[in-house]
Amino acid sequence: MSRRRRIYEGKAKVLFEGPEPGILVQYFKDDATAFNNQKKGVITGKGVLNNRISEYLMTRLTEAGIPTHFLRRLNMREQLVREVEIIPLEVVVRNVAAGSLATRFGLTEGTPLPRSIVEFYYKNDELSDPMVSEEHITAFGWATTQEIDEILNLALRINDFLSGLFLGVGLRLVDFKVEFGRLWEGEEMRIVLADEISPDSCRLWDIKTNEKLDKDRFRRDLGNVEEAYQEVARRLGILPEGGPGDLKGPKTMQ
Ligand code: TMP
């Protein structure tokens, strides 16, 4: 029963053709992967929560002057987004040593960094998203120098804004990953924030206890994964109306 044309299917989301040209439907799955697909699982209700959390964060960021692909949420698991040409980079911003940075440099997780660090990874599952420098990005034509400057500027503004927003609800934004796309409006091209921002793509630690409230609970088998996503939504004031019982959402997606 394929009502809509599937444009792209990733590990956690599906993009469908939208109601008009240039607009897509972004569907959030409960599927979770880690370590480039080596670990697979399902986090019940994750899609519903990430749809809400990403809607909330993208809306706040838009208000703060950050251009995004987000248009509006459609239902429990879907949102309307502008079709963009995805720049094949995973842009990671870090405030505190954790994850692969801690491993790479032998740092204790939780050590504050002297300043925020931005890293680029080439978005390519077959190659396990290798880290790249600006030299690789320009030489291989993934983005121009001007586009990299714009991406760096946006990534740091997003970091400042989200760090403050999460601090306000008792969460430390340790690090996060974002993706950007080119949005064409006639002859004009703008770089906009795309994809999603959610506990799948951020590390969020409770400010007092350092409890992890993000996908590291799944990656590291820490338990209470669903509860952690719910807690982030709860703190942001956006748990679906029926409460956690309402998280499964509609059974079918098409
Ligand atoms: P890392 O420490 O594993 O490099 O991850 C840095 C941040 O990027 C962390 O918040 C999780 C996020 N991330 C993704 O969203 N997707 C990925 O594929 C990876 C490796 C990390």
Side-chain angles (χ1 to χ4, degrees), residues 11 33-37 90-94 96-104 109 119 121 125 128-129 173-179 195-196 198-204 214-216 219-220:
K11 288 176 289 209
T33 66
F35 315 116
N36 198 27
N37 236 346
E90 301 210 340
V91 181
V92 170
V93 184
R94 303 180 186 269
V96 175
S100 70
L101 182 94
T103 306
R104 205 176 324 127
E109 275 213 325
E119 298 171 339
Y121 296 83
D125 282 344
S128 305
D129 301 340
L173 181 59
V174 169
D175 55 32
F176 63 94
K177 183 267 298 182
V178 277
E179 296 180 27
D195 192 48
E196 72 179 295
S198 71
D200 268 12
S201 57
C202 299
R203 283 197 174 93
L204 298 165
D214 56 59
K215 198 171 139 189
D216 269 350
R219 294 189 189 97
R220 303 179 187 192

Side-chain angles (χ1 to χ4, degrees), residues 154-175:
L154 287 170
L156 290 171
R157 282 168 57 201
I158 293 166
N159 183 44
D160 282 348
F161 184 81
L162 291 185
S163 292
L165 184 149
F166 281 120
L167 198 57
V169 296
L171 293 170
R172 186 183 313 285
L173 181 59
V174 169
D175 55 32

Side-chain angles (χ1 to χ4, degrees), residues 175-231:
D175 55 32
F176 63 94
K177 183 267 298 182
V178 277
E179 296 180 27
F180 295 93
R182 298 184 185 92
L183 179 63
W184 294 93
E185 281 161 342
E187 294 290 288
E188 299 275 297
M189 188 276 287
R190 277 196 301 157
I191 303 242
V192 303
L193 176 64
D195 192 48
E196 72 179 295
I197 306 185
S198 71
D200 268 12
S201 57
C202 299
R203 283 197 174 93
L204 298 165
W205 295 359
D206 181 84
I207 208 84
K208 290 207 193 92
T209 64
N210 281 338
E211 187 190 1
K212 298 183 200 312
L213 294 170
D214 56 59
K215 198 171 139 189
D216 269 350
R217 300 206 73 84
F218 168 78
R219 294 189 189 97
R220 303 179 187 192
D221 295 320
L222 298 176
N224 294 333
V225 186
E226 285 91 354
E227 290 80 359
Y229 282 68
Q230 280 168 26
E231 177 62 14

Side-chain angles (χ1 to χ4, degrees), residues 4-193:
R4 298 173 296 195
R5 199 159 66 87
R6 205 174 278 239
I7 306 280
Y8 175 84
E9 175 145 14
K11 288 176 289 209
K13 296 188 295 300
V14 188
L15 286 172
F16 294 99
E17 198 170 56
E20 54 184 275
I23 295 185
L24 303 179
V25 173
Q26 181 164 260
Y27 176 95
F28 288 74
K29 304 192 261 188
D30 282 350
D31 297 353
T33 66
F35 315 116
N36 198 27
N37 236 346
Q38 287 180 56
K39 181 181 169 109
K40 290 192 176 85
V42 170
I43 304 174
T44 307
K46 172 172 84 80
V48 176
L49 288 167
N50 282 359
N51 186 24
R52 294 266 178 165
I53 294 170
S54 201
E55 170 197 24
Y56 179 80
L57 297 175
M58 293 263 182
T59 304
R60 294 285 88 78
L61 284 165
T62 304
E63 290 163 3
I66 305 285
T68 84
H69 74 155
F70 178 80
L71 289 170
R72 67 184 170 86
R73 188 169 60 83
L74 284 175
N75 54 45
M76 298 277 276
R77 286 181 183 271
E78 294 176 331
Q79 49 181 243
L80 278 189
V81 299
R82 287 193 195 283
E83 184 167 24
V84 299
E85 185 185 303
I86 286 285
I87 295 169
L89 296 174
E90 301 210 340
V91 181
V92 170
V93 184
R94 303 180 186 269
N95 301 306
V96 175
S100 70
L101 182 94
T103 306
R104 205 176 324 127
F105 297 110
L107 301 170
T108 305
E109 275 213 325
T111 311
L113 298 171
R115 61 177 173 83
S116 301
I117 295 175
V118 184
E119 298 171 339
F120 297 110
Y121 296 83
Y122 177 43
K123 190 174 154 66
N124 184 316
D125 282 344
E126 269 138 58
L127 302 174
S128 305
D129 301 340
M131 193 176 184
V132 293
S133 71
E134 298 191 20
E135 281 286 286
H136 300 115
I137 298 170
T138 51
F140 293 125
W142 299 322
T144 64
T145 306
Q146 292 87 325
E147 286 174 333
I148 296 173
D149 285 348
E150 177 66 8
I151 288 170
L152 279 171
N153 175 36
L154 287 170
L156 290 171
R157 282 168 57 201
I158 293 166
N159 183 44
D160 282 348
F161 184 81
L162 291 185
S163 292
L165 184 149
F166 281 120
L167 198 57
V169 296
L171 293 170
R172 186 183 313 285
L173 181 59
V174 169
D175 55 32
F176 63 94
K177 183 267 298 182
V178 277
E179 296 180 27
F180 295 93
R182 298 184 185 92
L183 179 63
W184 294 93
E185 281 161 342
E187 294 290 288
E188 299 275 297
M189 188 276 287
R190 277 196 301 157
I191 303 242
V192 303
L193 176 64

